[in-house]
Structure formats: structure tokens, C-alpha cells
Amino acid sequence: MAEVVQKACLEGPQVVTLVLSSADYDALRSGRPTLVDDLLAGPSWDDELAEARMGGSGASISG
């Protein structure tokens, strides 16, 4: 790793690729929220806004 640091100092940013086993990756990700978790945790849409966004009610949104 020291070689990468030396090259970064002399030549600028370096690209480092790391290969992990699926077990190691799963261990790193365990306990962290997924994209689905983040989306579901976001603010909920009220029915009127959801219909307006989907074009179902024809209601206008002013703001």
C-alpha cells in the first residue's frame, strides 16, 4: 500500500480496485440500510399528490 501512497504523491490520484468475497461483502454491509430501506423510510405521499403525479385525477399542483 505504501507504493500507492508514493505514486499518489508523485503522480496524483490513483485508482485502487479491491476484490472481496461475497461473504466478506455481506459482512461489511450487515446492519446497514439498503436503498429499499432508505426509500421506504422517506416521507409518504398523500393520495391527492400521488394521483396528480400519476396523472390520474387531473388535479393541478400549485406551490
Side-chain angles (χ1 to χ4, degrees):
M1 193 59 140
E3 183 179 334
V4 172
V5 174
Q6 287 177 338
K7 285 187 87 170
C9 290
L10 297 173
E11 301 172 17
Q14 302 293 304
V15 175
V16 178
T17 303
L18 177 65
V19 178
L20 296 174
S21 70
S22 60
D24 287 342
Y25 179 79
D26 290 342
L28 286 172
R29 292 285 308 155
S30 69
R32 297 182 66 190
T34 65
L35 175 61
V36 172
D37 295 328
D38 288 339
L39 292 173
L40 291 174
S44 61
W45 291 39
D46 64 8
D47 291 337
E48 185 177 322
L49 178 59
E51 282 188 32
R53 294 285 296 160
M54 298 299 288
S57 70
S60 64
I61 301 175
S62 60

